[in-house]
Amino acid sequence: MNFFKVATTPAPLLEVPAALWAELMAHLREQGAGVRESGAFLLGCKTDAGRMVKRFMPYEQLQPDAFSNDYVSLKADSFAKLWEVCRATGMTVVADVHTHPFGPGQSRSDRTNPMVALKDHIALIVPRFAKGNPRPRDLGLYVYQGNHQWASYSGSDVGRLLRVTNAGVFQ
């Protein structure tokens, strides 16, 4: 039964309103200042059709020193704050996103340390510290399979699975 659901689930997997996408990319760009990684959790709702992003929670709002290393590092109490925000807003984490200096590929640290280690969690990587106007097809999209294994998507596949829209498809 699950096989047929997966095979017939229509794309997109993840939908972000255009205004929120622009705000998110601007925040990532400004927070990283072109010299370091930045990131956020994407909060929203999950439906049978996909996931709708309704807001984002920047890592530095959960933990001011999240970027003090050469990589993103969040402590357990940051996740407690995140889960409290989710409870208070009635939303859930639908994905996470962070920037890289060059391409959208996962680092070894990304592969071995998922931000949310639950099967089907989505991680997005924005290249070039989000400079310019990143479009979905510019990103890497990774779906956690468990046991430090990921399904990886790039280029037009990301454009198919991640939609930036003006009108909600999933609502």
Side-chain angles (χ1 to χ4, degrees), residues 30-51:
E30 291 166 14
Q31 183 63 29
V35 296
R36 64 182 167 95
E37 291 188 9
S38 59
F41 288 102
L42 304 181
L43 307 181
C45 61
K46 295 179 183 178
T47 70
D48 287 341
R51 302 164 191 211

Side-chain angles (χ1 to χ4, degrees), residues 56-70:
F56 63 92
M57 175 61 57
Y59 295 157
E60 72 276 4
Q61 286 185 13
L62 297 169
Q63 181 180 313
D65 68 348
F67 306 108
S68 61
N69 299 309
D70 288 341

Side-chain angles (χ1 to χ4, degrees), residues 72-139:
V72 175
S73 176
L74 294 177
K75 297 178 179 111
D77 61 334
S78 299
F79 287 93
K81 291 177 189 175
L82 175 64
W83 305 141
E84 181 54 38
V85 169
C86 288
R87 275 190 296 278
T89 60
M91 291 186 240
T92 189
V93 173
V94 296
D96 69 78
V97 60
H98 74 276
T99 63
H100 275 186
F102 302 110
Q106 280 185 311
S107 67
R108 180 180 303 210
S109 177
D110 295 334
R111 286 189 301 274
T112 58
N113 300 292
M115 291 305 260
V116 178
L118 295 175
K119 187 176 182 330
D120 294 330
H121 176 72
I122 297 171
L124 301 169
I125 298 178
V126 184
R128 298 177 304 285
F129 295 130
K131 291 178 185 173
N133 185 24
R135 298 161 297 183
R137 67 178 178 251
D138 300 325
L139 279 60

